[in-house]
Amino acid sequence: IAKTFDKLFENNELPTKYKELEDAPHEYFDGARNNILLIHLDHEKVNPGDVVGVSRSSRVLNQCLMYHSPAAVRAWESVISDSKYGLFEKCKNNLEQLLDSEEWKQSVEHLDTILILGAGAPSKDKLIIDSVDKLSKSLVQLIWVDVSLYMLANTAKKVMGELADSSLIKPRAIATDFEDPERLNQIMEQLGINNDGGTRATFILGFTLSNIHEDDFIRAFSEICKEGDLLIFPMEFVTDDENFGEELKNRYKSKLAIELARATFSIMPNVRLGKTEVLVNPTHFHGSSEKSYKLEFRTHVTYEGKPAIRHWVTTATATRHPRQIYLDFLKQHGFNYFTSVENHGVETLIFKFSKIS
């Protein structure tokens, strides 16, 4: 396809106008300049006509469809570049330290595949690419997985230099919903991406795991893992502080919630955004007596028209759990704690997989 994502970003054009995608070859289309990154489009999971995950009657956003526009990508970049959103930098600093750990250095020798579930953190991607270049002695397949074509294309543009300079990394991208690990595994097998011999390291570089149905995902993801595979992600755990819930609420209100709402609704016509709020409610994870917490980001939306429709829409949810409860749950599904780095309340952990007998 001659038309590239660069032009789409320049014109702020929506995927609904990009009809070429619907007729693209099932296997590949050009996702960045000079064909440096080929993106496999999963037509079963990604419809270029889906530009937003909420309709006039919806009360809960489909988070998979939040970033289907250049405006949404820019809004996300605005969030992570804001000094008030300190989680991004904490996660990045943790990742840098983790990639310098002896446990990681020993693991790289056996890696043949790296999965990055969720695009949108090129500065962290670059740390992984640099680490593999320095430590690996053999070719490593690096695959980004995201349901948003725009997030994948933006990531490709940001890491092109590092990829071009690397002789040990074979980059690919898959546009699909990684919350369906079985489907993702089928696509990788179709593309000849497998780790029959070496180890696969799967990175979730932000707090994505806490935003999805994490228990369902962990169960399903364990089914496609093999002995020795690694799972790496950051997490914020519940502390013993009795004010933890209120502190959590204060930490996440303001710009993050507002920008998430703007990113979602900016591409919908005749919409006015009102108040944005963050709710925090105690809950319990898998019957534990210890408190977990669920965050809910809500925005009051007015759809103009006759009649006008006004109601609250949940744009995102997230959970926080006690550390040991969470580690025990992961262990039940074969993910054993390996090592971690903690930085001001954010811990980035590596788990090593072992089949449950």
Side-chain angles (χ1 to χ4, degrees):
I1 294 176
K3 193 172 185 181
T4 66
F5 273 94
D6 288 340
K7 189 147 188 157
L8 291 179
F9 273 96
E10 289 169 10
N11 298 340
N12 198 30
E13 200 171 338
L14 302 183
T16 46
K17 299 177 183 177
Y18 194 23
K19 294 299 183 184
E20 295 95 322
L21 283 181
E22 296 178 355
D23 302 319
H26 186 73
E27 290 277 327
Y28 310 104
F29 65 91
D30 188 6
R33 302 184 198 97
N34 304 323
N35 293 316
I36 204 157
L37 184 69
L38 290 172
I39 302 179
H40 172 87
L41 176 63
D42 178 9
H43 290 276
E44 286 190 18
K45 295 288 186 180
V46 181
N47 176 6
D50 288 336
V51 294
V52 69
V54 66
S55 67
R56 286 168 63 91
S57 61
S58 297
R59 299 300 178 99
V60 179
L61 171 74
N62 180 351
Q63 293 183 58
C64 282
L65 304 178
M66 278 189 67
Y67 300 103
H68 280 238
S69 78
V73 174
R74 284 193 287 269
W76 168 243
E77 291 189 322
S78 173
V79 169
I80 63 177
S81 63
D82 189 345
S83 59
K84 293 179 182 177
Y85 184 55
L87 283 179
F88 186 87
E89 284 303 317
K90 289 178 184 177
C91 291
K92 183 180 174 182
N93 292 338
N94 282 4
L95 178 65
E96 194 166 13
Q97 293 180 52
L98 207 58
L99 296 174
D100 194 44
S101 69
E102 288 304 314
E103 290 88 348
W104 170 254
K105 290 177 180 178
Q106 293 168 13
S107 300
V108 172
E109 297 177 15
H110 308 289
L111 283 182
D112 67 4
T113 307
I114 292 177
L115 278 181
I116 298 179
L117 303 184
S123 60
K124 299 176 190 175
D125 297 334
K126 290 178 182 180
L127 293 176
I128 297 171
I129 292 168
D130 185 56
S131 174
V132 171
D133 265 342
K134 288 179 179 177
L135 301 173
S136 181
K137 297 177 182 177
S138 57
L139 187 69
V140 175
Q141 301 175 98
L142 177 61
I143 302 105
W144 285 272
V145 183
D146 199 289
V147 78
S148 168
L149 298 166
Y150 281 99
M151 292 295 267
L152 289 172
N154 191 51
T155 292
K157 291 167 64 176
K158 297 290 178 64
V159 301
M160 279 173 58
E162 283 73 12
L163 292 176
D165 293 339
S166 174
S167 60
L168 290 175
I169 294 177
K170 181 181 179 182
R172 294 287 284 277
I174 300 174
T176 191
D177 180 6
F178 65 75
E179 283 193 68
D180 187 347
E182 184 180 2
R183 174 66 182 163
L184 173 59
N185 201 48
Q186 290 172 354
I187 293 172
M188 291 194 292
E189 288 178 355
Q190 291 171 11
L191 299 177
I193 300 169
N194 53 56
N195 65 326
D196 293 338
T199 300
R200 180 173 66 205
T202 299
F203 286 86
I204 300 175
L205 296 175
F207 277 42
T208 307
L209 191 55
S210 71
N211 300 129
I212 63 178
H213 299 292
E214 53 198 329
D215 45 355
D216 292 338
F217 172 77
I218 290 296
R219 287 191 192 95
F221 191 68
S222 69
E223 295 297 319
I224 70 167
C225 291
K226 67 176 183 55
E227 200 76 23
D229 283 355
L230 305 177
L231 176 62
I232 303 101
F233 61 85
M235 189 57 67
E236 183 180 42
F237 293 112
V238 174
T239 67
D240 294 331
D241 188 340
E242 61 181 18
N243 297 318
F244 179 84
E246 192 62 31
E247 290 177 3
L248 198 62
K249 180 178 179 178
N250 292 332
R251 198 176 311 146
Y252 283 95
K253 66 184 182 182
S254 71
K255 181 161 185 176
L256 175 60
I258 293 169
E259 289 298 339
L260 282 173
R262 286 177 180 166
T264 305
F265 294 99
S266 61
I267 57 178
M268 293 187 70
N270 304 318
V271 172
R272 284 191 293 111
L273 302 185
K275 182 181 177 182
T276 297
E277 65 180 15
V278 181
L279 306 179
V280 177
N281 293 304
T283 183
H284 297 277
F285 189 59
H286 285 270
S288 169
S289 59
E290 295 186 54
K291 280 185 183 177
S292 292
Y293 289 88
K294 181 177 181 179
L295 295 92
E296 181 182 353
F297 298 83
R298 302 200 313 164
T299 299
H300 196 260
V301 179
T302 300
Y303 299 95
E304 304 289 3
K306 295 182 179 180
I309 298 175
R310 299 178 180 86
H311 56 67
W312 287 94
V313 175
T314 297
T315 56
T317 59
T319 53
R320 298 292 183 268
H321 306 294
R323 186 179 188 274
Q324 194 56 53
I325 298 296
Y326 206 60
L327 266 59
D328 289 346
F329 168 74
L330 285 158
K331 188 172 184 178
Q332 289 172 14
H333 295 282
F335 297 99
N336 300 288
Y337 175 83
F338 188 35
T339 190
S340 64
V341 171
E342 193 270 340
N343 174 26
H344 298 292
V346 174
E347 185 174 2
T348 302
L349 310 97
I350 300 182
F351 294 86
K352 183 176 285 191
F353 184 77
S354 180
K355 287 286 185 184
I356 303 294
S357 57

